[in-house]
Amino acid sequence: MLKNNDKNIKGQHLLNDLSIKQVIEVFDLMPDTKFWIKDLEGNFVHVNKYFLEHSGIRSLSNIIGYNDNHIAAAHIAEQFIVDDKKVIQGHVVNDRLEMNSIKNGKLSWFTTSKRALRNQSGEVVGTYGITRHLNKTSEVLSGLNAVQSPVEYIKNNYMNDICINELAGVAHLSVSALERRFKKYLAKTPKQFLNEIRLENARRLLVESNRSISDIANATGFSDHSYFSKQFKKMFDQLPSQFRESQITAQTSERKIP
């Protein structure tokens, strides 16, 4: 029988014999989980099979060297790019709950984690991460169902003046119970969630329309233009005008993957 020290040595030899390629290919075995590696410029170095399937891309060679602007809607790609820059600077993303579109165009729940990728010298050389599609995770779904009605109400009425008592009534809960559920299952307050939904829709309109910034602010529930700009910069690290200008530049320089 091998002693513990002998087992450790044997295990270390096995790890030394494994190639990085073999390790990352493990992610091809994970259904409903997207895995990717990017370089410092945000270009894809590797993605797993589910990532390709979810993105509608036929082969790995078709995505290597491209970035999020080539495969996602502009307002969504921008958030991925902002996230990557934060991760490179030392920020860590842990199981962040978010809504995104699936292949049929419908919205679904995902959870995302990201890390900086370092070489043997400890230098940051890129980023990597996973995004899990949660529709088949019963425990998470039960939690999401607990806030489903107020979440749907916010999604459909974000442009209106919504108060916390109104949301509590929709959920048939007290205000305190509603806030506890949002904090437990979404890690944010109802007000924070409403604000994020409004800002996400504002970001989409900045890309998809030529409406003025003040008009977009009003259309997404912000009656105060300066407050809208302040909240937008806080969430996306850019003022609305800067974001729109950056998207115009990106759209003229980038092309989608064929």
Side-chain angles (χ1 to χ4, degrees):
M1 181 178 294
L2 288 174
K3 295 181 180 180
N4 283 343
N5 189 49
D6 293 331
K7 290 179 181 178
N8 290 339
I9 293 173
K10 185 176 181 181
Q12 191 60 53
H13 283 321
L14 175 61
L15 289 177
N16 290 339
D17 288 340
L18 290 175
S19 70
I20 293 176
K21 185 175 183 295
Q22 284 178 293
V23 173
I24 63 177
E25 283 177 351
V26 170
F27 287 93
D28 285 335
L29 306 177
M30 299 175 66
D32 300 316
T33 299
K34 295 196 296 180
F35 168 72
W36 68 91
I37 300 173
K38 300 176 186 174
D39 62 20
L40 287 174
E41 284 71 47
N43 299 315
F44 291 104
V45 175
H46 181 82
V47 301
N48 69 341
K49 289 180 180 178
Y50 183 70
F51 190 109
L52 293 174
E53 178 186 338
H54 181 272
S55 304
I57 299 170
R58 286 176 289 183
S59 68
L60 182 61
S61 61
N62 285 350
I63 195 173
I64 301 303
Y66 288 86
N67 59 42
D68 289 302
N69 280 314
H70 297 101
I71 64 171
H75 65 286
I76 296 176
E78 182 65 21
Q79 184 59 49
F80 296 157
I81 293 169
V82 168
D83 271 355
D84 291 342
K85 290 178 180 177
K86 289 181 178 179
V87 168
I88 288 171
Q89 294 167 1
H91 182 73
V92 172
V93 177
N94 277 325
D95 291 326
R96 184 179 60 205
L97 194 63
E98 55 194 13
M99 294 191 78
N100 207 333
S101 60
I102 54 180
K103 282 199 300 183
N104 60 12
K106 293 182 179 180
L107 290 176
S108 190
W109 289 100
F110 293 81
T111 181
T112 296
S113 298
K114 296 182 180 183
R115 297 288 189 278
L117 182 66
R118 300 177 183 274
N119 61 19
Q120 292 183 339
S121 301
E123 299 171 316
V124 176
V125 294
T127 63
Y128 67 96
I130 60 171
T131 292
R132 291 185 296 135
H133 188 195
L134 298 180
N135 278 16
K136 296 183 180 179
T137 309
S138 58
E139 182 178 352
V140 175
L141 283 178
S142 65
L144 297 179
N145 288 335
V147 294
Q148 188 66 34
S149 56
V151 163
E152 288 297 322
Y153 188 82
I154 288 172
K155 285 166 53 185
N156 295 327
N157 298 278
Y158 65 86
M159 67 293 296
N160 301 322
D161 186 14
I162 301 175
C163 67
I164 186 67
N165 288 325
E166 188 177 349
L167 288 175
V170 169
H172 304 292
L173 296 169
S174 66
V175 169
S176 59
L178 177 71
E179 291 182 332
R180 283 196 300 271
R181 289 198 182 189
F182 265 75
K183 290 292 287 184
K184 179 178 180 179
Y185 296 114
L186 300 181
K188 61 193 68 176
T189 66
K191 183 178 179 180
Q192 288 172 329
F193 183 79
L194 171 60
N195 202 52
E196 290 182 8
I197 291 294
R198 285 173 168 169
L199 290 169
E200 285 287 357
N201 279 279
R203 183 170 62 164
R204 175 179 57 80
L205 289 174
L206 284 166
V207 174
E208 297 178 357
S209 77
N210 294 319
R211 298 166 71 171
S212 69
I213 292 175
S214 59
D215 187 26
I216 289 175
N218 290 328
T220 52
F222 293 97
S223 56
D224 186 328
H225 184 195
S226 61
Y227 178 76
F228 164 64
S229 295
K230 180 179 178 180
Q231 291 299 305
F232 193 96
K233 182 172 176 56
K234 182 178 179 181
M235 185 167 177
F236 302 124
D237 286 343
Q238 287 180 307
L239 290 170
S241 57
Q242 295 171 328
F243 173 76
R244 174 171 269 175
E245 184 177 348
S246 69
Q247 291 308 300
I248 292 173
T249 302
Q251 289 174 11
T252 56
S253 61
E254 303 284 3
R255 60 185 180 86
K256 296 295 181 182
I257 296 176

